[in-house]
Amino acid sequence: MNKINFQKETDRIINNIQGTAPRLMLHSCCAPCSSYTLEYLSEFFEICVFYYNPNISPEAEFEKRFEEQKRLIEALPAKNRITLIKGEYNPEEFYEIAKGLEDAKEGYERCFRCYRLRLEKTARIAKEKGFDYFCTTLSISPLKNSQKINEIGYEVAKEHGVSWLPSDFKKKEGYKRSIELSHEYDLYRQNFCGCIYSKAASKKANSKEN
């Protein structure tokens, strides 16, 4: 896929919305990443947040992030309704797709497989429940490959027969706004995505800095 400005693609879809707000199934990795995304998209869509992250370890971390996600949704003002679905915690799903890539560089093939795992589940739920679009908060992170996320999103959309909402939520200072909202709502944040491999990479990077 040639490099695309996905924010412009989002704008194009939003500008064509008429009448009732479309229904969006939004995969979320955590409350901080969803904060700006929900503030922005709830103006135009009725959103169901799908918290599905078998990559997160340990289970206590998974549960803590879910509770923060729930708290944010309850507190955040929104023009259109925001609901929440909690996906099952089954870390074996993640370890299965990561097999053979345990020592892979952070941000590449293992991560791409993890994107696909979560997007495929989101697309299936969106299709089953009759949603108009599905999307993910992942593109808000400067450390995530938005081109790859969207490439996978389009592929999964075609496979499951539900429309992908393209995004690059770090545009329009989205990441900066997510930091502001995290402070405003006192959201729990971590400096790694949640898996044991990203946690190890984060510790290694911090030890080098110190």
Side-chain angles (χ1 to χ4, degrees):
M1 179 181 287
N2 294 328
K3 195 163 185 180
I4 296 170
N5 185 327
F6 289 105
Q7 179 61 55
K8 288 185 177 179
E9 294 298 301
T10 313
D11 291 340
R12 179 183 59 79
I13 290 170
I14 286 173
N15 290 337
N16 286 328
I17 293 174
Q18 296 180 357
T20 305
R23 299 174 71 214
L24 171 66
M25 182 67 67
L26 178 68
H27 164 262
S28 175
C29 55
C30 63
C33 287
S34 73
S35 58
Y36 162 74
T37 310
L38 289 173
E39 180 184 66
Y40 168 45
L41 292 180
S42 63
E43 285 289 309
F44 313 103
F45 297 90
E46 179 183 318
I47 301 173
C48 179
V49 173
F50 182 42
Y51 179 82
Y52 170 66
N53 301 289
N55 56 306
I56 293 176
S57 179
E59 187 171 1
E61 178 75 13
F62 173 89
E63 293 293 342
K64 187 168 185 176
R65 294 191 190 198
F66 173 74
E67 289 303 322
E68 284 295 270
Q69 181 70 80
K70 182 179 177 182
R71 184 171 70 84
L72 173 65
I73 290 172
E74 290 171 349
L76 192 70
K79 178 180 175 181
N80 292 298
R81 187 172 65 144
I82 303 174
T83 55
L84 174 63
I85 295 176
K86 183 182 183 181
E88 290 184 8
Y89 181 64
N90 186 359
E92 291 307 314
E93 292 178 316
F94 170 68
Y95 292 125
E96 182 62 30
I97 61 98
K99 195 175 291 182
L101 294 168
E102 292 86 351
D103 297 321
K105 187 176 180 181
E106 187 71 12
Y108 290 89
E109 186 57 37
R110 186 185 63 243
C111 296
F112 300 162
R113 288 190 186 183
C114 188
Y115 301 163
R116 185 178 294 276
L117 172 67
R118 290 182 282 174
L119 289 180
E120 284 182 341
K121 180 75 80 171
T122 307
R124 283 197 293 271
I125 298 291
K127 180 68 174 180
E128 288 170 7
K129 295 184 176 295
F131 277 68
D132 300 294
Y133 294 94
F134 76 103
C135 188
T136 180
T137 62
L138 290 170
S139 70
I140 198 167
S141 170
L143 301 177
K144 297 289 189 295
N145 186 327
S146 60
Q147 294 289 317
K148 195 67 181 180
I149 290 167
N150 282 280
E151 178 185 322
I152 294 169
Y154 280 119
E155 289 172 0
V156 170
K158 189 174 181 180
E159 291 166 7
H160 293 277
V162 60
S163 295
W164 167 249
L165 180 69
S167 70
D168 190 352
F169 294 123
K170 68 181 71 66
K171 300 285 188 182
K172 293 186 173 180
E173 297 196 323
Y175 179 69
K176 179 183 177 183
R177 179 59 179 156
S178 76
I179 299 295
E180 293 170 352
L181 288 167
S182 293
H183 287 304
E184 183 178 336
Y185 290 95
D186 192 26
L187 297 176
Y188 168 68
R189 294 180 64 89
Q190 276 286 11
N191 62 350
F192 62 97
C193 81
C195 78
I196 58 172
Y197 311 115
S198 64
K199 187 174 184 178
S202 177
K203 283 184 176 179
K204 187 176 180 180
N206 287 337
S207 65
K208 286 182 178 179
E209 289 175 5
N210 295 330

